[in-house]
Amino acid sequence: MSKLKVLVVGASVAGPTAEYWLAKAGASVTVIERFPELRRGGQNIDIRTFGVTVMRRMPGMEAAVRAKTTQLEGLSFVRPDGRPYGIIRPTGNPDEQSLVSEYEIFRDDLTKILFDLTKDNENIKYVFGEQVASIQQHEKGEEDDVGSSGPVTVEFTNGLPTSQYDLVVACDGATSRTRAIGLGCGVRDHIHPTNCWGAQFSLQKDLLEGSYVGKAHSAPGGLFVAIGPDPWSDGGNRGTLMAINPRPDKRDKRDNDVTLQPFREAQKQGDDALKRYVARHFRGAAGWKTDEILQEMMRAPDFYASEVVQVKTATLSKGRFVMVGDAGYAPGFTGGGTTLAMTGAYVLAGEMCKHRGDLAAGLEGYEERMRPIITDLRKVPPLVPTAMAPQTAWGLWLRNHIFAFIAWSRLLEFAQKYFASAFASRDESALPDYEWVA
């Protein structure tokens, strides 16, 4: 195909993966990131199913990921006094993963791996501290007929000269500002709340006392607290706090995510205000080591918190604008966000390469290939939110005793395969091995 000029917005997982494969498809790629450098922090994430396939098709990536995994040996669920009542361990087979992945890695480490794989490519240019101000599509025919339209004109907010691109790719997350500009909608349009938010951060203390088995604790009110190993820190751990709010009555016609408004207001005020909100929400309510974890959170330099949402759009592209990863199809509770981001980036570039010179056909192929995968990986395994953090003391007691029984009776292996089945297998034929230009 002729050398496409592509703008990729966002330098997290989806962005660098898209750049890598678009460059192999013969495109010239500019990636912009609104932060002045690669972001630190973020949760531990899993590479599963199609994500494993894509990773293995990127020379050197699987070895780099294995070298930076969290080294988590399992997750132990504990009572308020710290006594365990069940543990989940990885299967040891990355092609048949349990709820604990063999490829669990911190988001910032995976982003750095992808950045290192792409930063020296002469067809890829990174620009930090920049974001899109406007996108103007020059349509000559039907609105979405990219074959009859010219390149798009993009204006930037922080000094990058106005330029024309053949394609703009939004990879800037579930609350994508670029999606709002490209589709002509609001930032929160197409976002479907799950009534849940989470926070991740580093702990300077080693609350696991050298163990590589993480610990998790649930408390009434939908509170979930976990600490895991961080082998790349100076003797510390990583912490996770999740608040799962009860779903409103479906008959209630009000906004079904009103319970998230205090979190959103704190988020608008910055990390310090958000830390204080999280601390108020959990302090004294969750038990176990929660207050000690909160003390560590207040001084964490890499604190990150966000809602858990799904993004659903009627189409993945509009004219010469297209979305990849959470910007177009954040899956929510499934744990498949990283896999979808890597898969979407690969399929988009592959379809561009397959339909050389026909951008409209490439975008259509991307839509057709990705829709079944998105539908599959967006399915939330049964009872996952309820099982993670029951709302009542009775529900928590029941969950704990059921889990303790299946762990003691060795039914856990079967249960893991049932709940993790959406993440544990893949149809290789759904991901063609494209013939790349470069």
Side-chain angles (χ1 to χ4, degrees):
M1 78 181 175
S2 59
K3 200 174 188 69
L4 288 178
K5 186 178 179 182
V6 181
L7 176 68
V8 174
V9 183
S12 190
V13 175
T17 309
E19 297 144 30
Y20 177 92
W21 292 109
L22 285 166
K24 284 186 70 67
S28 172
V29 186
T30 298
V31 56
I32 63 170
E33 167 59 50
R34 68 187 179 99
F35 291 93
E37 58 185 7
L38 294 176
R39 293 196 68 183
R40 295 181 58 195
Q43 71 269 40
N44 47 319
I45 56 181
D46 301 330
I47 303 174
R48 299 178 181 271
T49 64
F50 299 113
V52 175
T53 301
V54 174
M55 175 180 66
R56 288 174 174 170
R57 293 178 184 179
M58 300 173 71
M61 184 175 174
E62 184 175 12
V65 167
R66 286 187 178 277
K68 290 293 289 185
T69 61
T70 64
Q71 300 182 23
L72 183 68
E73 295 177 359
L75 185 62
S76 176
F77 289 81
V78 299
R79 298 178 176 87
D81 60 4
R83 290 182 299 131
Y85 58 87
I87 186 170
I88 296 175
R89 295 187 183 275
T91 65
N93 181 355
D95 295 318
E96 295 181 0
Q97 297 184 37
S98 74
L99 294 175
V100 177
S101 170
E102 274 69 19
Y103 295 110
E104 181 163 301
I105 187 171
F106 297 124
R107 181 179 294 277
D108 48 2
D109 287 333
L110 181 57
T111 298
K112 181 63 165 57
I113 289 171
L114 289 164
F115 175 75
D116 288 342
L117 284 173
T118 55
K119 65 180 180 179
D120 296 327
N121 190 312
E122 62 181 11
N123 290 320
I124 296 174
K125 174 185 177 183
Y126 279 89
V127 179
F128 289 93
E130 191 56 274
Q131 54 188 319
V132 171
S134 69
I135 299 172
Q136 182 180 357
Q137 302 220 31
H138 304 284
E139 305 293 353
K140 297 178 181 179
E142 294 296 326
E143 182 179 356
D144 290 329
D145 182 7
V146 298
S148 63
S149 63
V152 296
T153 299
V154 181
E155 295 180 323
F156 301 92
T157 61
N158 296 323
L160 193 65
T162 299
S163 301
Q164 290 191 330
Y165 297 91
D166 296 299
L167 186 66
V168 176
V169 186
C171 300
D172 50 342
T175 55
S176 170
R177 302 177 186 182
T178 315
R179 178 183 66 230
I181 296 171
L183 296 183
C185 63
V187 171
R188 293 203 63 83
D189 290 355
H190 308 294
I191 289 178
H192 296 255
T194 65
N195 262 27
C196 171
W197 53 262
Q200 296 82 28
F201 46 88
S202 61
L203 288 72
Q204 295 183 26
K205 289 184 178 180
D206 180 11
L207 299 182
L208 293 176
E209 300 178 341
S211 174
Y212 280 84
V213 176
K215 292 185 178 181
H217 172 65
S218 297
L223 303 181
F224 177 82
V225 184
I227 49 177
D230 186 353
W232 317 114
S233 69
D234 187 16
N237 305 140
R238 290 276 182 120
T240 297
L241 302 172
M242 291 189 70
I244 301 176
N245 298 297
R247 299 293 294 178
D249 190 322
K250 291 183 178 180
R251 294 170 294 181
D252 192 336
K253 301 302 182 182
R254 297 174 301 168
D255 182 6
N256 71 349
D257 59 339
V258 292
T259 55
L260 291 170
Q261 289 304 327
F263 175 86
R264 293 175 187 165
E265 291 301 319
Q267 192 173 41
K268 292 177 183 177
Q269 299 172 41
D271 283 352
D272 288 342
L274 197 50
K275 284 181 179 181
R276 292 193 295 271
Y277 173 80
V278 173
R280 288 195 303 270
H281 197 84
F282 276 84
R283 185 171 289 124
W288 184 49
K289 295 184 178 183
T290 301
D291 287 350
E292 192 172 0
I293 293 170
L294 291 174
Q295 291 176 4
E296 292 293 302
M297 179 195 74
M298 295 304 293
R299 59 175 178 166
D302 56 355
F303 173 85
Y304 176 82
S306 65
E307 290 183 47
V308 178
V309 301
Q310 289 190 328
V311 172
K312 300 178 181 180
T313 60
T315 179
L316 301 181
S317 64
K318 180 180 180 181
R320 292 174 178 261
F321 170 77
V322 65
M323 298 164 289
V324 171
D326 282 357
Y329 33 85
F333 275 110
T334 70
T338 301
T339 289
L340 278 172
M342 294 177 63
T343 304
Y346 173 84
V347 171
L348 173 64
E351 293 298 317
M352 293 293 103
C353 195
K354 177 181 177 181
H355 300 279
R356 299 176 186 178
D358 190 341
L359 192 60
L363 293 174
E364 183 178 349
Y366 169 62
E367 181 96 30
E368 290 178 355
R369 288 275 183 189
M370 282 305 297
R371 277 300 176 188
I373 297 173
I374 293 168
T375 299
D376 187 42
L377 291 183
R378 187 184 278 153
K379 294 176 182 176
V380 179
L383 302 178
V384 163
T386 302
M388 282 185 63
Q391 295 296 322
T392 65
W394 159 248
L396 184 60
W397 180 90
L398 182 63
R399 191 284 307 267
N400 292 354
H401 279 74
I402 291 174
F403 185 66
F405 172 75
I406 63 175
W408 170 81
S409 64
R410 295 188 175 275
L411 290 172
L412 184 58
E413 182 178 353
F414 170 79
Q416 282 193 142
K417 289 182 178 180
Y418 175 70
F419 282 108
S421 60
F423 316 137
S425 62
R426 62 187 185 274
D427 178 7
E428 294 283 358
S429 65
L431 283 188
D433 197 354
Y434 296 104
E435 295 183 6
W436 302 99
V437 171

